Amino acid sequence: MFRCNWAGTEYALRVVTTKNAKVAVVGASGYAGEEVVRLLLAHPHVDLVAVTSRQFAGKTLAQVFPRLSHHEKAKGLKFFDADPKQLAREAEVIFLALPHGLAAEFAKPLLQAGARVLDLSADFRVKDAAVYKEFYGHDHPAPDLLGQAVYGLPEIYRDQIREAKLVACPGCYPTSILIPLRPLIRRKAIDRKRILITSLSGVTGAGRKIEADYLFAECNESVRPYGVPKHRHLSEIEQELSNLAGEKITIQFTPHLVPVNRGIVTTIYTDLAGDVVEVDPALLFSGAYGQEPFVRLFGEERLPDSKNVVGTNFIDIAWKIDNRTRRLVVMSAIDNIVKGASGQAVQCFNLMRGFPETAGLI
Amino acid sequence: MFRCNWAGTEYALRVVTTKNAKVAVVGASGYAGEEVVRLLLAHPHVDLVAVTSRQFAGKTLAQVFPRLSHHEKAKGLKFFDADPKQLAREAEVIFLALPHGLAAEFAKPLLQAGARVLDLSADFRVKDAAVYKEFYGHDHPAPDLLGQAVYGLPEIYRDQIREAKLVACPGCYPTSILIPLRPLIRRKAIDRKRILITSLSGVTGAGRKIEADYLFAECNESVRPYGVPKHRHLSEIEQELSNLAGEKITIQFTPHLVPVNRGIVTTIYTDLAGDVVEVDPALLFSGAYGQEPFVRLFGEERLPDSKNVVGTNFIDIAWKIDNRTRRLVVMSAIDNIVKGASGQAVQCFNLMRGFPETAGLI
Amino acid sequence: MFRCNWAGTEYALRVVTTKNAKVAVVGASGYAGEEVVRLLLAHPHVDLVAVTSRQFAGKTLAQVFPRLSHHEKAKGLKFFDADPKQLAREAEVIFLALPHGLAAEFAKPLLQAGARVLDLSADFRVKDAAVYKEFYGHDHPAPDLLGQAVYGLPEIYRDQIREAKLVACPGCYPTSILIPLRPLIRRKAIDRKRILITSLSGVTGAGRKIEADYLFAECNESVRPYGVPKHRHLSEIEQELSNLAGEKITIQFTPHLVPVNRGIVTTIYTDLAGDVVEVDPALLFSGAYGQEPFVRLFGEERLPDSKNVVGTNFIDIAWKIDNRTRRLVVMSAIDNIVKGASGQAVQCFNLMRGFPETAGLI
Amino acid sequence: MFRCNWAGTEYALRVVTTKNAKVAVVGASGYAGEEVVRLLLAHPHVDLVAVTSRQFAGKTLAQVFPRLSHHEKAKGLKFFDADPKQLAREAEVIFLALPHGLAAEFAKPLLQAGARVLDLSADFRVKDAAVYKEFYGHDHPAPDLLGQAVYGLPEIYRDQIREAKLVACPGCYPTSILIPLRPLIRRKAIDRKRILITSLSGVTGAGRKIEADYLFAECNESVRPYGVPKHRHLSEIEQELSNLAGEKITIQFTPHLVPVNRGIVTTIYTDLAGDVVEVDPALLFSGAYGQEPFVRLFGEERLPDSKNVVGTNFIDIAWKIDNRTRRLVVMSAIDNIVKGASGQAVQCFNLMRGFPETAGLI
């Protein structure tokens, strides 16, 4: 910032940015898509040039998302039924907020046309097409692209994301699990065979699915486990943990649905490694994340609470050593739609384009 | 039931009951106290003769609890400031819904005067006064009574409860944990060293505490772990598990607060015992609980959901074997105020008085 | 009740009932249908002989409604795809919990076959087929039956309900409005031209409709008016008020959706009639409703709160005279599914069959 | 903005601001105080120099409000026990987020010391000390200051706010009512004698009061009117409406508490004025508010929903003419803590300091 004094008043001159990125969002009708749009409309270095949705084609952003209706751009920009070729002509970077299976089909022509793609679906997260089929129940629609996809978790893959053409944005549960576990796995502080994880998620985690299970009166005053014992996100969690460990890791994972709109709280049980005499998690975590813009370390002072992260891109992490059991219990909280999806996608986008990593996010 | 036909109309004659019990509730101003009152007012074999509360002394039940205001009895019965001697003259059975510490002080004179006591606090749950002090932070107020207290979990101690003068009604978390674990521990189906438990509780679990943490806007849209790693209920859970096992058992337990009024969902992770070739949990659970009036076994077909038990005295239990990890995941759901407190107390009361065990509860 | 003493023990003998009614529920898959089933399963004088649902045909009640899964009957009774002729052979009384339009089509053959019908839809509430068409957008499917239908509000039509073959159970909003307004209209205490009403309803009021508007994340943390200015329930509200007044009454009515499962709170603004020197609403209301089993009068002492009536068949009524404006503000609360639908239907059923009016409801 | 091209890259230079304002917040422990702090921390032209709270003295902002804990300033800035003299030395503008009564006592020395004050309490909203006493139950603590206070509703008093030393920020209900009614009153489109208003408010409207009524389990699954018939906000609503009308206006107003954290929805019933042949509310409202940065007019197309404004400083306004009753029903939605309190205060602050009116708010 450059400050000067002119006619008795102080002015500050700031180099605001290099030129804006032209961006499109495909499938912007779900919760993650809406949130990407909201973040991009407020992003200082973005020109949102197109949004697509079969369902809402012909309507403006303002009509479909009344909470955005004050934006000039939202009043003018109309959804259209996505045509990859047209999109790639108009936009340099494209966010895909489509169901898995469909996303990969869209990514292909976009990448061929030279666009860079951030995919919020599960299509490019798992590197092994056989594992994809095991967990998602159908053949991978574009296995040839798996090699070039970068897993979009900046806390692990920051450098690769900068150069990526195709970013596979992580799932919400994996984000809440991998960030806390990474330093513990890397430093061999815990028994890799005995990791058990419980997560609690708000209802938007299921997307804007119009199913009886997600009606208000079915979720309100209801708490329930689901996806036991083999939730789909296990595929990417175990892949990434195994990468970190250099050996195959299998975990236990139980998600629960709780009646909040947004937020994931994850509780991770780990056995301290047998040969570890003394562990200082504070040192481990601050060493790993002291400089991370979106990781807040609560240590042993305060437990996480989803309400502290809702609407933000932060992950809050706390831990307790249980001397009775020699276990280290690590807890995290994120907003499943922001750090667990759209915010993290924008964080990756900032890296890809050389913008400040926090642009549009703080 | 005796049926007869008189003047062309069929009549049924039923022996309704032996004579009613005279019952009082001490400290009826909290959530558990209110629920005991509600259940007793509707109980076919109970005469509610007194309710006490310092805070509400002089007001009628109907004034304090408008949801009960249609009951004739609620319109007439006034709270008074409890006097144990007077109580013991009027009532044969007394429910204590007082804070721990205070409950034991009340129990003593009541028992001496010949009343039978059901205590909803933690005062008589733990048999070892030293453990009580470790977990509750003060000396036990009546250690000489610990020997005669029966832990009020009918699924384990039905016969002892029938004869008990003093019943220590279990905590809500312990109820949701001990019933599912009992057959697994008894049959040595699981590794007793590796039991990890996550529970999710509605906000009434904290009682009607007027603290900032329990204000609506602090709990709504909030999910949070608490009491990590050493929640007070560990004391009774480990005592009872150790009793079942015949050896000291130490567990991992993490409670979470979720924004529902009522309901606990518990997820229990167990390692199948090493020498077990094949386990059939369905057989184990139906053997143990097939005849229990308040245990509903969902097996592997359906996962528990707190909304199915809210307002009832049921515990729903489901399980899944995870072949990937050789673990058995057991899940349960109860209403923390009913099966987790007041309903279970009434169930014990029915046993003590020889009434049908489900009287006033179904 | 007859008491006797036999071998030292006191017994009470009670004439329990005349013979049970054979009852069926058609369309038992929505919230009102499920609640009727729940109430009938617990009703002392009912044999539930059949439940129908196209969607759930072949499944047992216990499978579809896990909260009922402890009932022996729920374990055995299977939904089938309704066939009116078969139903009329098996059941004497039939509850219709179908969408409007469809209900009338079912009612016809059932009535012809001699069954008595309680319809929870809007099909028989409005006496004038033209008004029905105006508000519901299609021709009435069975206008010839309109004449024999009795509007099922016991507080107004108790005697007619006793004899009715076809009862049109009132809508939830009308119930919360008509009961408070009846004595004021009848006694000419208020200006009939200036009645304005605001209602707040829980989300089950919309039924189990699988639409985006009723998803959890669309309703939670959301408050919104809807149906402005001409909600469908106006048709029956104005019909019944006009009947009471003996002249055409037009009102203002605005419903709002609020994030609770159950409950309606209604606030009614009335101008005290110009020639009234002094009004004593307490006298008016207690004169009208002092003996009603399900009306609780709070007077000026306490305002209604939906949580006091949820799960019950009560309507709570309170009022305040505003001397600044010479208006009488009357407020009521009901459970929209119980007194606003299924509970009231059972109350009517009790009248039709000569059972105690509160049987199965308190 | 000035754009230039340097070494092949395009840069944009923008004159960011005149110098920042030094600002303090007194009583920053309630919901409105916390929100003012949150907004000021993110405000581009503010240096937050002090926050005070007796309760939290000595703790940092980050410790008390974990959701702000990533802010560098929040980590360093400690609450202290307010001393007006010290505050006036450090800050040019001071936000008071204190209970009524106390606020006026603080305002006096601050104004004397030359600071400009924005008071979020009710102390300076009502111009007539007698009316204040009637509604607040005690003598006004500083009646001599009433004359200089400006009612902080920019949509009415924009010019006066710019010059004000003391701004009385409006209550949440009045904001949701006065903005919609202003053009209707001014243009004499409605009958001023017949204005009836229903409002629904989220629980933060009651502040962070630690009372049983605001516990989670007392508000969740609860809907209730309160403050009937004479809520305190009537004093300022009627004062401002009367000012607009040039004659005394008395209204009917009923607030309701609904279980959301934030949000007010207000439904206003007005009789179209007798001599009005044709009214075009769209013309009226767009004439009045077409240029307002925080008023969004939904017209007849869409009804307001609190979820569209939560977290924002917008007021959404919709209306319907009811031809059956010749009434105009106007509905509005705001966030009670933002446009209804802290956001509006910041909007006034921007006006007072000549910053863009939307700075820190969009």
Side-chain angles (χ1 to χ4, degrees):
Chain A
M1 185 145 359
F2 174 76
R3 292 183 171 277
C4 64
N5 196 300
W6 186 57
T9 307
E10 185 183 338
Y11 292 93
L13 298 177
R14 184 192 294 152
V15 174
V16 177
T17 176
T18 60
K19 78 180 160 115
N20 280 4
K22 290 180 182 168
V23 176
V25 180
V26 177
S29 60
Y31 291 123
E34 179 180 356
E35 188 76 3
V36 165
V37 166
R38 191 183 70 80
L39 290 168
L40 294 177
L41 283 176
H43 195 292
H45 313 318
V46 163
D47 290 337
L48 182 62
V49 296
V51 288
T52 84
S53 155
R54 186 163 300 171
Q55 180 187 2
F56 296 127
K59 295 190 179 173
T60 65
L61 270 176
Q63 287 172 316
V64 173
F65 301 132
R67 77 189 71 192
L68 303 176
S69 60
H70 55 284
H71 275 284
E72 278 313 307
K73 173 136 281 175
K75 289 177 201 165
L77 199 61
K78 282 187 184 170
F79 285 93
F80 68 99
D81 196 349
D83 167 20
K85 274 186 201 153
Q86 186 187 342
L87 274 173
R89 270 196 304 273
E90 293 182 12
E92 301 154 292
V93 182
I94 290 157
F95 290 78
L96 299 181
L98 295 166
H100 62 84
L102 197 57
E105 286 176 27
F106 262 83
K108 211 160 185 171
L110 292 171
L111 289 166
Q112 281 167 348
R116 297 175 82 176
V117 172
L118 293 122
D119 177 26
L120 280 86
S121 87
D123 275 356
F124 299 108
R125 297 175 190 162
V126 179
K127 295 295 179 195
D128 183 335
V131 173
Y132 181 89
K133 188 173 184 182
E134 178 191 347
F135 280 86
Y136 290 90
H138 57 84
D139 286 325
H140 194 283
D144 49 314
L145 294 179
L146 288 174
Q148 66 173 289
V150 175
Y151 193 72
L153 199 61
E155 288 78 7
I156 302 186
Y157 295 106
R158 181 167 283 111
D159 291 339
Q160 295 92 316
I161 293 166
R162 284 189 220 276
E163 308 301 322
K165 295 289 183 208
L166 172 58
V167 169
C169 298
C172 47
Y173 290 123
T175 298
S176 78
I177 290 166
L178 293 170
I179 297 177
L181 274 177
R182 176 177 157 265
L184 302 175
I185 296 281
R186 280 240 177 118
R187 296 306 188 89
K188 305 187 179 179
I190 57 171
D191 181 345
R192 295 162 177 196
K193 307 255 177 258
R194 302 204 164 278
I195 300 173
L196 295 94
I197 302 169
T198 299
S199 288
L200 287 62
S201 173
V203 184
T204 53
R208 204 172 243 144
K209 264 185 228 145
I210 305 181
E211 297 178 6
D213 277 356
Y214 305 112
L215 290 177
F216 180 81
E218 302 301 319
C219 296
N220 184 42
E221 296 300 289
S222 159
V223 183
R224 54 194 205 242
Y226 71 100
V228 183
K230 202 176 164 188
H231 186 276
R232 284 173 167 175
H233 282 178
L234 272 172
S235 56
E236 52 183 296
I237 298 167
E238 293 183 349
Q239 165 184 289
E240 293 302 317
L241 290 179
S242 301
N243 282 351
L244 289 168
E247 64 175 319
K248 172 78 184 147
I249 289 191
T250 303
I251 63 166
Q252 196 75 42
F253 169 58
T254 310
H256 297 72
L257 195 69
V258 294
V260 295
N261 280 353
R262 291 167 170 231
I264 283 180
V265 164
T266 286
T267 297
I268 305 173
Y269 302 103
T270 66
D271 283 28
L272 289 172
D275 53 346
V276 170
V277 182
E278 209 172 320
V279 184
D280 185 344
L283 217 63
L284 265 178
F285 281 109
S286 66
Y289 296 132
Q291 304 307 315
E292 280 292 337
F294 292 113
V295 179
R296 300 193 298 201
L297 300 177
F298 284 1
E300 306 219 28
E301 275 176 48
R302 176 197 300 282
L303 298 179
D305 184 328
S306 63
K307 70 172 176 273
N308 293 328
V309 294
V310 163
T312 81
N313 200 49
F314 294 102
I315 178 168
D316 287 350
I317 302 178
W319 55 84
K320 295 276 183 186
I321 290 182
D322 186 349
N323 290 318
R324 302 166 71 253
T325 61
R326 264 192 70 77
R327 288 205 187 89
L328 173 65
V329 182
V330 187
M331 293 148 286
S332 71
I334 60 168
D335 181 322
N336 56 301
I337 302 273
V338 187
K339 184 64 178 168
S342 308
Q344 186 148 265
V346 170
Q347 188 182 353
C348 291
F349 161 81
N350 287 336
L351 289 168
M352 290 163 79
R353 290 298 300 236
F355 298 132
E357 192 166 337
T358 60
L361 290 171
I362 285 194
Chain B
M1 181 139 13
F2 173 77
R3 293 182 171 277
C4 64
N5 197 297
W6 186 58
T9 305
E10 185 184 341
Y11 291 93
L13 297 177
R14 185 191 294 154
V15 174
V16 177
T17 175
T18 60
K19 79 176 158 110
N20 280 5
K22 289 180 183 170
V23 176
V25 180
V26 176
S29 60
Y31 291 122
E34 179 180 355
E35 187 76 4
V36 165
V37 166
R38 191 181 71 79
L39 291 168
L40 294 177
L41 283 175
H43 196 292
H45 313 318
V46 163
D47 290 337
L48 183 62
V49 296
V51 289
T52 85
S53 154
R54 186 163 300 171
Q55 180 187 359
F56 295 126
K59 296 190 178 174
T60 64
L61 270 176
Q63 286 172 317
V64 173
F65 302 132
R67 77 189 70 189
L68 303 176
S69 60
H70 54 285
H71 275 284
E72 278 314 306
K73 174 135 277 175
K75 289 178 199 164
L77 198 62
K78 281 188 184 169
F79 285 93
F80 69 99
D81 197 350
D83 166 21
K85 274 185 202 154
Q86 188 188 339
L87 274 173
R89 269 196 305 273
E90 294 183 11
E92 301 154 291
V93 183
I94 290 157
F95 290 78
L96 299 180
L98 294 165
H100 62 85
L102 197 56
E105 286 176 27
F106 263 82
K108 211 161 186 170
L110 292 171
L111 290 165
Q112 281 167 347
R116 298 174 82 176
V117 172
L118 293 122
D119 176 27
L120 280 87
S121 88
D123 274 357
F124 299 107
R125 297 175 190 161
V126 178
K127 295 296 178 194
D128 183 334
V131 173
Y132 180 90
K133 188 174 183 181
E134 178 191 347
F135 279 86
Y136 290 89
H138 58 84
D139 286 325
H140 194 284
D144 48 313
L145 294 178
L146 288 173
Q148 67 172 288
V150 175
Y151 193 71
L153 200 61
E155 288 78 7
I156 303 186
Y157 294 107
R158 181 166 283 111
D159 291 340
Q160 296 92 316
I161 293 165
R162 286 190 219 275
E163 308 301 323
K165 296 287 183 210
L166 172 58
V167 169
C169 299
C172 47
Y173 291 123
T175 298
S176 77
I177 291 167
L178 293 170
I179 297 176
L181 274 177
R182 175 178 159 266
L184 303 175
I185 295 281
R186 282 239 177 117
R187 297 306 189 91
K188 305 188 179 180
I190 57 171
D191 181 345
R192 295 162 176 196
K193 306 256 177 257
R194 302 205 163 277
I195 301 173
L196 295 94
I197 302 169
T198 299
S199 288
L200 288 61
S201 174
V203 185
T204 53
R208 205 172 243 144
K209 265 186 226 144
I210 305 181
E211 296 178 6
D213 278 355
Y214 305 112
L215 289 177
F216 179 82
E218 303 301 319
C219 295
N220 185 43
E221 296 300 289
S222 159
V223 182
R224 55 194 205 243
Y226 71 100
V228 182
K230 201 177 164 187
H231 187 276
R232 284 171 166 177
H233 283 177
L234 272 173
S235 56
E236 51 182 298
I237 298 167
E238 293 183 349
Q239 165 185 289
E240 294 303 318
L241 291 179
S242 301
N243 281 351
L244 289 168
E247 64 175 319
K248 172 79 184 145
I249 289 192
T250 303
I251 63 164
Q252 196 74 42
F253 169 57
T254 310
H256 298 72
L257 196 69
V258 294
V260 295
N261 280 352
R262 292 167 170 232
I264 284 181
V265 164
T266 286
T267 297
I268 304 173
Y269 302 103
T270 66
D271 283 26
L272 289 172
D275 52 345
V276 170
V277 181
E278 209 172 317
V279 184
D280 184 346
L283 217 63
L284 264 178
F285 280 108
S286 66
Y289 296 132
Q291 304 306 315
E292 280 293 337
F294 293 112
V295 179
R296 299 192 298 201
L297 300 177
F298 283 1
E300 306 218 29
E301 274 176 47
R302 178 196 299 283
L303 298 179
D305 184 329
S306 64
K307 70 171 176 274
N308 293 328
V309 293
V310 163
T312 80
N313 199 49
F314 294 103
I315 178 168
D316 287 349
I317 302 178
W319 54 85
K320 295 275 183 186
I321 289 182
D322 185 350
N323 291 317
R324 302 166 71 254
T325 62
R326 264 192 70 76
R327 287 205 187 89
L328 173 64
V329 183
V330 187
M331 293 147 286
S332 71
I334 61 168
D335 182 321
N336 56 302
I337 302 273
V338 188
K339 184 63 178 168
S342 309
Q344 186 148 264
V346 170
Q347 188 182 354
C348 291
F349 160 82
N350 286 336
L351 289 168
M352 291 163 78
R353 290 298 301 238
F355 299 132
E357 192 166 336
T358 59
L361 290 171
I362 285 194
Chain C
M1 185 145 0
F2 174 77
R3 292 183 172 277
C4 64
N5 197 298
W6 186 58
T9 306
E10 185 183 341
Y11 291 93
L13 297 177
R14 184 193 294 152
V15 174
V16 176
T17 175
T18 59
K19 76 176 163 120
N20 280 4
K22 290 181 182 168
V23 176
V25 180
V26 176
S29 61
Y31 291 123
E34 179 179 356
E35 188 76 3
V36 165
V37 166
R38 191 182 70 81
L39 291 168
L40 295 177
L41 283 176
H43 196 292
H45 313 318
V46 163
D47 289 337
L48 182 63
V49 296
V51 289
T52 85
S53 154
R54 184 163 301 171
Q55 181 187 1
F56 296 126
K59 295 191 179 174
T60 65
L61 269 177
Q63 286 172 316
V64 172
F65 301 132
R67 77 189 71 189
L68 303 176
S69 60
H70 54 284
H71 276 285
E72 277 314 307
K73 173 136 278 174
K75 289 178 200 163
L77 199 60
K78 282 188 183 169
F79 285 93
F80 69 99
D81 197 350
D83 166 19
K85 276 186 200 153
Q86 186 187 343
L87 274 173
R89 271 196 303 273
E90 294 183 12
E92 302 153 293
V93 183
I94 290 157
F95 290 78
L96 299 181
L98 294 165
H100 63 83
L102 197 56
E105 287 176 26
F106 263 82
K108 214 161 184 169
L110 292 171
L111 289 165
Q112 282 167 345
R116 298 175 81 177
V117 172
L118 292 121
D119 176 27
L120 280 87
S121 87
D123 275 355
F124 298 107
R125 298 176 189 161
V126 179
K127 295 295 178 194
D128 183 334
V131 173
Y132 180 90
K133 187 173 184 181
E134 177 192 348
F135 279 86
Y136 289 89
H138 57 82
D139 287 325
H140 194 284
D144 48 314
L145 294 179
L146 287 174
Q148 66 173 287
V150 174
Y151 193 71
L153 200 60
E155 289 78 6
I156 302 187
Y157 295 107
R158 181 167 284 112
D159 291 339
Q160 296 93 316
I161 293 167
R162 283 190 220 276
E163 308 302 322
K165 296 286 184 212
L166 171 59
V167 169
C169 299
C172 48
Y173 290 123
T175 298
S176 77
I177 291 167
L178 293 170
I179 297 177
L181 274 177
R182 176 178 156 265
L184 302 174
I185 295 281
R186 281 239 177 117
R187 297 305 188 90
K188 305 189 179 177
I190 57 171
D191 181 346
R192 294 162 177 195
K193 307 256 178 258
R194 301 204 165 278
I195 300 173
L196 295 95
I197 300 169
T198 299
S199 288
L200 288 61
S201 173
V203 184
T204 52
R208 205 171 243 146
K209 266 186 225 144
I210 305 181
E211 296 177 6
D213 277 356
Y214 305 111
L215 288 177
F216 179 81
E218 303 300 319
C219 295
N220 185 41
E221 295 300 288
S222 159
V223 182
R224 53 194 206 241
Y226 71 100
V228 183
K230 202 177 164 188
H231 186 276
R232 284 172 167 177
H233 282 178
L234 272 172
S235 56
E236 52 183 297
I237 299 168
E238 293 183 349
Q239 164 184 289
E240 294 302 318
L241 291 179
S242 301
N243 282 350
L244 290 168
E247 64 175 320
K248 171 78 184 147
I249 289 191
T250 303
I251 63 165
Q252 195 76 42
F253 169 59
T254 310
H256 297 73
L257 195 69
V258 294
V260 295
N261 281 352
R262 291 166 170 234
I264 283 180
V265 164
T266 286
T267 297
I268 304 172
Y269 303 104
T270 66
D271 283 28
L272 289 172
D275 53 346
V276 170
V277 181
E278 210 172 315
V279 184
D280 185 344
L283 217 64
L284 265 178
F285 281 109
S286 65
Y289 297 133
Q291 304 307 315
E292 280 293 338
F294 292 113
V295 180
R296 300 191 299 201
L297 300 177
F298 283 2
E300 305 218 30
E301 274 176 48
R302 177 197 299 283
L303 297 179
D305 184 329
S306 64
K307 70 172 176 274
N308 293 328
V309 293
V310 163
T312 80
N313 199 49
F314 294 103
I315 178 168
D316 287 349
I317 302 178
W319 54 85
K320 295 276 183 186
I321 290 183
D322 186 349
N323 291 317
R324 303 166 71 252
T325 62
R326 265 192 68 77
R327 287 205 187 90
L328 172 64
V329 182
V330 187
M331 293 148 285
S332 71
I334 61 168
D335 182 321
N336 56 301
I337 302 274
V338 188
K339 184 63 178 167
S342 308
Q344 186 149 266
V346 171
Q347 188 182 354
C348 291
F349 161 81
N350 286 337
L351 289 168
M352 290 163 79
R353 291 298 299 238
F355 299 133
E357 192 167 335
T358 59
L361 291 171
I362 284 193
Chain D
M1 183 143 4
F2 174 77
R3 293 184 171 277
C4 64
N5 197 298
W6 187 58
T9 306
E10 186 184 338
Y11 290 94
L13 297 177
R14 185 192 294 153
V15 174
V16 176
T17 175
T18 60
K19 78 180 159 118
N20 280 6
K22 289 179 183 169
V23 176
V25 180
V26 176
S29 60
Y31 291 122
E34 180 179 355
E35 187 76 3
V36 164
V37 166
R38 191 182 70 80
L39 290 168
L40 293 176
L41 282 176
H43 196 292
H45 312 318
V46 163
D47 290 337
L48 182 62
V49 296
V51 288
T52 85
S53 154
R54 186 163 299 171
Q55 180 187 0
F56 296 127
K59 295 189 178 173
T60 65
L61 270 176
Q63 287 171 316
V64 173
F65 302 131
R67 79 189 69 190
L68 302 177
S69 60
H70 55 283
H71 276 284
E72 277 314 308
K73 173 135 281 176
K75 289 178 200 164
L77 198 60
K78 282 187 183 169
F79 284 93
F80 70 99
D81 197 349
D83 167 19
K85 275 186 201 152
Q86 187 188 340
L87 274 174
R89 270 196 304 274
E90 293 183 11
E92 302 154 293
V93 182
I94 290 157
F95 290 78
L96 299 181
L98 294 166
H100 62 85
L102 198 57
E105 286 175 26
F106 263 82
K108 213 163 184 167
L110 291 172
L111 290 165
Q112 281 167 347
R116 298 174 82 176
V117 172
L118 293 121
D119 176 27
L120 280 86
S121 89
D123 275 356
F124 299 107
R125 297 174 190 163
V126 179
K127 295 295 178 194
D128 183 335
V131 173
Y132 180 89
K133 189 174 182 181
E134 178 191 348
F135 280 86
Y136 290 90
H138 57 84
D139 287 324
H140 195 282
D144 48 313
L145 294 179
L146 288 174
Q148 66 172 289
V150 174
Y151 193 71
L153 200 60
E155 288 77 6
I156 303 187
Y157 295 108
R158 181 166 284 111
D159 291 339
Q160 295 93 315
I161 292 166
R162 285 190 219 277
E163 308 302 322
K165 294 288 182 209
L166 172 59
V167 169
C169 299
C172 48
Y173 291 123
T175 297
S176 77
I177 292 166
L178 293 170
I179 297 177
L181 275 177
R182 176 178 157 264
L184 302 175
I185 296 280
R186 281 239 177 118
R187 296 306 188 89
K188 305 187 179 180
I190 57 171
D191 181 345
R192 294 161 177 196
K193 306 258 178 255
R194 303 204 163 278
I195 301 173
L196 295 94
I197 301 169
T198 299
S199 288
L200 288 61
S201 173
V203 184
T204 53
R208 205 173 243 145
K209 264 186 226 145
I210 305 181
E211 297 178 5
D213 278 356
Y214 305 112
L215 289 177
F216 179 81
E218 302 301 320
C219 295
N220 185 42
E221 295 301 290
S222 159
V223 182
R224 54 194 206 242
Y226 73 100
V228 183
K230 203 177 163 187
H231 186 276
R232 284 173 166 175
H233 282 177
L234 272 173
S235 56
E236 52 182 297
I237 297 168
E238 293 183 348
Q239 165 185 288
E240 294 302 318
L241 290 180
S242 301
N243 281 350
L244 289 168
E247 64 174 321
K248 173 77 184 147
I249 289 191
T250 303
I251 62 164
Q252 196 74 43
F253 169 58
T254 309
H256 298 72
L257 196 68
V258 293
V260 295
N261 280 352
R262 292 167 169 230
I264 284 181
V265 164
T266 286
T267 297
I268 305 172
Y269 302 103
T270 65
D271 283 27
L272 288 172
D275 52 346
V276 169
V277 181
E278 210 173 317
V279 184
D280 184 346
L283 216 65
L284 264 178
F285 280 109
S286 66
Y289 296 133
Q291 304 307 314
E292 280 293 337
F294 292 113
V295 180
R296 301 193 297 201
L297 300 177
F298 283 3
E300 306 218 29
E301 274 177 48
R302 177 197 298 281
L303 297 179
D305 183 329
S306 64
K307 70 171 176 272
N308 293 328
V309 293
V310 163
T312 80
N313 200 48
F314 294 103
I315 178 169
D316 288 349
I317 302 178
W319 55 85
K320 294 276 182 185
I321 290 184
D322 186 350
N323 290 319
R324 302 166 69 253
T325 61
R326 264 193 68 77
R327 287 206 186 90
L328 172 64
V329 182
V330 187
M331 293 148 286
S332 71
I334 61 168
D335 182 320
N336 57 301
I337 302 273
V338 188
K339 184 63 178 168
S342 308
Q344 187 148 264
V346 170
Q347 188 182 353
C348 291
F349 161 81
N350 286 337
L351 289 168
M352 290 163 78
R353 290 299 301 238
F355 298 133
E357 193 166 335
T358 60
L361 290 171
I362 286 193

